[in-house]
Amino acid sequence: MIIACPDCGLVQCLPSPPRRGRLECRRCGGVLERRSGRSLDAAFACAIATLLLLFPANLLPLVRVRGPAGIEAFTYLGSGCALIWDQGWPLAATVLGLQGILLPFLRFGLLVAALGALRLGEQPPWIGRAFRYAEYLDLWAMPDVLLIGGIIGYGRIAVFVPTHIQDGGLCLVAAAVLAMLTRATLDRRAVWRRIALPAERVAADRLACIACDMVMPGDARHCARCGASLHRRKPFSLMRTNALALTAFLLLPVANYFPASLLWEVGDLHPRTIFANIRILFQQGYAPVGLLIFCTSIALPLLKIGGVGWFSLSVMRRSRRALHMKTRFYRILETASRWSNLDPFSVMIFAPILQFGPLAHVVLGGGGPAFLAVLVISTLAIRMFDPRLMWDCAGNGGPGAVGSWRDLAGKSSG
């Protein structure tokens, strides 16, 4: 099987996989395939269970609270989106609804369809496209991030208001855990191996698919395996990346200056910015939670914007320095970028249960939607950047290399 490394672009032949170990790129050291702890059958089972559990998680109440004067309230997964929409922020409500409700259904539905076809030994013409879309949605479908955000919100609310987890909340916990297990047990390269095209399709003039990394004839317009449009590099990568990074940077002051939420308590207004919420967590003895919110809501967006700027500047200056370090940093940012949504999801789940009319209620401030825009735009900037551009400055590095399998101790195993 001949592919091009998605991080550095080196064309290389993948040897037959052993039962365990990992396959690293000869040039940049990126993990191309990992067999230890991975199983398509386990991933398929976890994906089916996740998809089934998403239905009761969305239809049943998540939590029940008993507020002032014995007022009892229930909240559903979509209640936060409806509340944010009613308060005049339809775009923010739509983004949170897509990431927390709709896209998980779509991702796991496509994943179940693709893995189910492979499990039955079928090769329908849509299987490559289905798995490609499922992999793309992995960045945006966030039941696991939603769960952690809900736990944080639960910890912040339960000390003031009696809060009880309902059946929908238990289903959400199970679905999120199984979603994490699906990501942990699924090796995308093993799936692509099962639906790979014959080797004779590869020609001397080679062009690698950006989506599935398979090398195709240079005159091909679309990948015959996953259906993606073929480009030697992501189209207009630097222009799009720089525009998105600059937009996210300009929105940062807005997101941190204006209050993210406003708490009305018996007629008194308490506006709170993101920094104010973090400070309150430290003051109330929730330092670990405050540190987690600071890392995901403040430090990570800054790292994404600064990292993308560093990568783009490196390409524009045609720098060959620290390529391995920059590539590893890019992988870290790409993997961690989705966890910036912890705080918005916390608000989405627990804002509806704090609506007690004139006694107390929460209103979303202008800083919240601006902060959500920073998270989405900075994540798009990471996705639009093509790390292979950094390696283009160092030459092609010897196409046609053959990878070697290593076990977990770093010894050659094939």
Side-chain angles (χ1 to χ4, degrees), residues 307-319:
V308 165
W310 182 29
F311 304 148
S312 296
L313 185 62
S314 173
V315 173
M316 291 187 288
R317 297 182 61 182
R318 301 198 62 79
S319 172

Side-chain angles (χ1 to χ4, degrees), residues 289-345:
V289 177
L291 182 61
L292 177 62
I293 296 296
F294 175 81
C295 292
T296 57
S297 299
I298 303 298
L300 186 54
L302 288 174
L303 282 175
K304 288 194 289 185
I305 296 171
V308 165
W310 182 29
F311 304 148
S312 296
L313 185 62
S314 173
V315 173
M316 291 187 288
R317 297 182 61 182
R318 301 198 62 79
S319 172
R320 302 183 180 183
R321 302 174 61 181
L323 288 177
H324 288 85
M325 182 176 67
K326 285 183 283 192
T327 305
R328 285 194 295 269
F329 188 35
Y330 172 81
R331 294 191 202 106
I332 293 172
L333 292 180
E334 187 180 37
T335 302
S337 60
R338 60 203 303 271
W339 291 96
S340 297
N341 281 63
L342 284 179
D343 198 54
F345 280 148

